[in-house]
Amino acid sequence: MVNFLSIFTMRNLFFLSLALNLSLIMRVFYEGEKHGPHGLSARKADSGLEKAAHATQRTLVSLSSSGQDDGEKLINLDHGDPTMYESYWQQMGEKTTVVIPGWQSMSYFSDVKNPCWFLEPEFAKQVVRLHNLVGNAVTEGRQIVVGTGSSQLFLAALYALAPKDASEPISVISAAPFYSSYPSMTDYLKSGLYKWAGDARSFDKEGPYIELVTSPNNPDGFVRHSMVNRTGGILVHDLAYYWPQYTPISSATDHDLTLFTVSKSTGHAGTRIGWALVKDPEVAKKMIKFIELSTIGVSRDSQLRAARILEVIINSSQNPGRPESGESFFKISHHLMAERWQLLREAVNRGRFFSLPEFQQGFCQFLNQVSQPQPGKQKFTEPLIKSCHLYNYLCNA
């Protein structure tokens, strides 16, 4: 297989994949227009378009530079893996090393006095310190709920917020373009409590709903606000990318339920740790119950490692340049993202097939400077607006 692929360049494979997916999308549009803009066939076309977007990610070529005679690096557009900060953490050496004796963390329980009994106190402490340092979220009066990544917390939030005695599942919506896994995650278990209902911009169903607000948005990087704003609506804010290396920090967000994750803030996706800031104690209790039933808590070892990583980030920002602290993580990562966006824009501007959006500058309270948004995930616009994401180039090593 390697010998077969070696006769093609990255450019050949890339455009072959795009051509296949573009033809699939055009067919969906053709079928929709052939049967009219209204009625059942049009709705099938919309459904087909969503499936086409998922098919695109599955079929884009995914290759590694290992085994290639010419050593050419290929861009994997199938999925992202946030390893771009690896060199920084290598330079930090032993500062983030955590030694866990065999007798430590043996119990299920981290803190029996905390409603979230599996939350490590040290991790909770560093989460509060980090948000206070960056100024991106209010932590006072919030219950911290730890999860196995923000994906588990997303499902825990749906479970906690959905009415248990409703005659039908509550609708779950998000403004398009939305995170591609939202629909499948929502409907995967075919819950009777909640059901994916599509684009928030076109949502017109009466009754309660849960709206997912991702800001900066995944996949286009723009700042988002709720779209529906009707009585009975419940908001869940996914702020995975609301960190200074990706976007200007304009204020501390003050929402009812906010999701964050270590994978985007520090790059440690493999640690599988996320956290939620929850204002309503009853909602927090239901989220905790969901995690208890699904995984009997969250890895204590992973939380201890994440706590140490967050502590190092805080120290590097408060005492930058000192031998015991190292260079500021957020300034280094901001510079790295700026370099990658510059190279990306230069490459796109030399071609005729893609374009990139222009983002409005803003003053970053943390960096104390005017800053340009530089999303960790980006979606190409014209002409392949439905079909191509560029996360891997921006976030992979």
Side-chain angles (χ1 to χ4, degrees):
M1 182 66 177
V2 172
N3 292 335
F4 173 76
L5 291 173
S6 64
I7 66 175
F8 294 97
T9 66
M10 171 189 169
R11 184 183 180 87
N12 296 145
L13 294 169
F14 179 68
F15 282 102
L16 175 60
S17 176
L18 291 181
L20 290 171
N21 286 282
L22 182 58
S23 65
L24 175 60
I25 293 170
M26 292 178 66
R27 178 179 178 182
V28 171
F29 277 116
Y30 171 75
E31 291 295 328
E33 292 177 357
K34 183 172 71 173
H35 292 90
H38 308 291
L40 179 62
S41 296
R43 289 195 295 271
K44 287 182 178 178
D46 290 338
S47 175
L49 184 59
E50 187 171 314
K51 292 179 180 178
H54 289 288
T56 298
Q57 291 189 339
R58 291 195 303 269
T59 55
L60 284 171
V61 177
S62 175
L63 296 173
S64 169
S65 59
S66 60
Q68 304 271 339
D69 293 337
D70 57 4
E72 183 180 17
K73 287 190 177 296
L74 303 181
I75 299 177
N76 180 341
L77 296 177
D78 180 66
H79 63 276
D81 194 15
T83 55
M84 68 284 196
Y85 305 137
E86 189 174 61
S87 60
Y88 173 85
W89 293 113
Q90 288 174 342
Q91 293 172 17
M92 297 302 284
E94 299 298 314
K95 292 182 177 66
T96 56
T97 299
V98 178
V99 178
I100 302 176
W103 52 263
Q104 190 174 346
S105 305
M106 293 182 66
S107 172
Y108 287 117
F109 299 92
S110 297
D111 184 359
V112 294
K113 296 180 181 179
N114 192 319
C116 188
W117 48 267
F118 46 84
L119 171 63
E120 283 291 318
E122 183 62 21
F123 178 68
K125 173 185 173 182
Q126 300 306 330
V127 163
V128 172
R129 289 186 66 205
L130 182 64
H131 284 303
N132 290 343
L133 170 72
V134 176
N136 61 346
V138 173
T139 58
E140 186 176 357
R142 301 303 197 277
Q143 170 69 56
I144 299 174
V145 181
V146 67
T148 305
S150 60
S151 297
Q152 185 182 36
L153 291 165
F154 163 70
L155 295 174
L158 296 185
Y159 170 82
L161 296 171
K164 303 301 184 286
D165 55 355
S167 59
E168 61 179 351
I170 190 171
S171 297
V172 181
I173 58 176
S174 186
F178 42 74
Y179 176 42
S180 59
S181 292
Y182 276 158
S184 55
M185 289 171 63
T186 303
D187 289 342
Y188 187 70
L189 295 179
K190 301 186 185 302
S191 171
L193 299 177
Y194 47 81
K195 184 178 182 180
W196 180 253
D199 187 0
R201 289 188 173 88
S202 59
F203 180 72
D204 57 2
K205 184 179 179 181
E206 295 298 326
Y209 62 91
I210 299 174
E211 182 178 356
L212 311 173
V213 182
T214 307
S215 185
N217 189 44
N218 173 357
D220 62 14
F222 286 100
V223 173
R224 284 287 187 82
H225 304 282
S226 59
M227 300 295 299
V228 181
N229 298 313
R230 287 207 311 259
T231 302
I234 307 171
L235 301 181
V236 174
H237 286 81
D238 184 345
L239 304 189
Y241 289 98
Y242 191 47
W243 297 100
Q245 65 265 47
Y246 305 121
T247 193
I249 304 301
S250 58
S251 63
T253 57
D254 186 10
H255 303 304
D256 290 339
L257 200 163
T258 309
L259 306 180
F260 292 94
T261 174
V262 166
S263 67
K264 305 304 186 297
S265 55
T266 76
H268 291 84
T271 305
R272 305 309 307 132
I273 291 292
W275 68 95
L277 302 178
V278 188
K279 183 180 291 186
D280 187 338
E282 292 304 313
V283 172
K285 287 180 182 179
K286 293 177 182 178
M287 292 180 66
I288 293 165
K289 189 63 178 180
F290 177 91
I291 296 171
E292 175 187 332
L293 293 173
S294 58
T295 54
I296 320 180
V298 176
S299 168
R300 297 180 63 190
D301 293 351
S302 290
Q303 291 184 67
L304 292 174
R305 183 182 188 223
R308 180 57 182 156
I309 291 166
L310 297 188
E311 183 181 22
V312 169
I313 288 178
I314 294 165
N315 293 340
S316 75
S317 296
Q318 291 179 333
N319 306 294
R322 293 185 182 180
E324 67 273 17
S325 302
E327 296 297 324
S328 169
F329 169 77
F330 285 120
K331 289 186 177 179
I332 294 294
S333 57
H334 180 271
H335 179 70
L336 174 62
M337 293 302 297
E339 281 186 337
R340 292 193 169 204
W341 265 95
Q342 181 180 354
L343 292 172
L344 176 61
R345 288 194 182 279
E346 290 174 357
V348 170
N349 290 340
R350 285 198 296 266
R352 297 180 295 106
F353 298 98
F354 303 107
S355 64
L356 290 167
E358 296 294 333
F359 297 100
Q360 185 176 358
Q361 290 184 336
F363 186 80
C364 180
Q365 302 285 351
F366 176 78
L367 296 174
N368 196 31
Q369 66 183 45
V370 175
S371 179
Q372 176 80 25
Q374 41 200 31
K377 177 172 280 191
Q378 183 48 227
K379 151 178 202 167
F380 284 124
T381 52
E382 301 297 339
L384 301 176
I385 191 166
K386 294 284 186 181
S387 65
C388 185
H389 294 258
L390 190 63
Y391 175 75
N392 185 57
Y393 170 77
L394 294 169
C395 290
N396 283 25

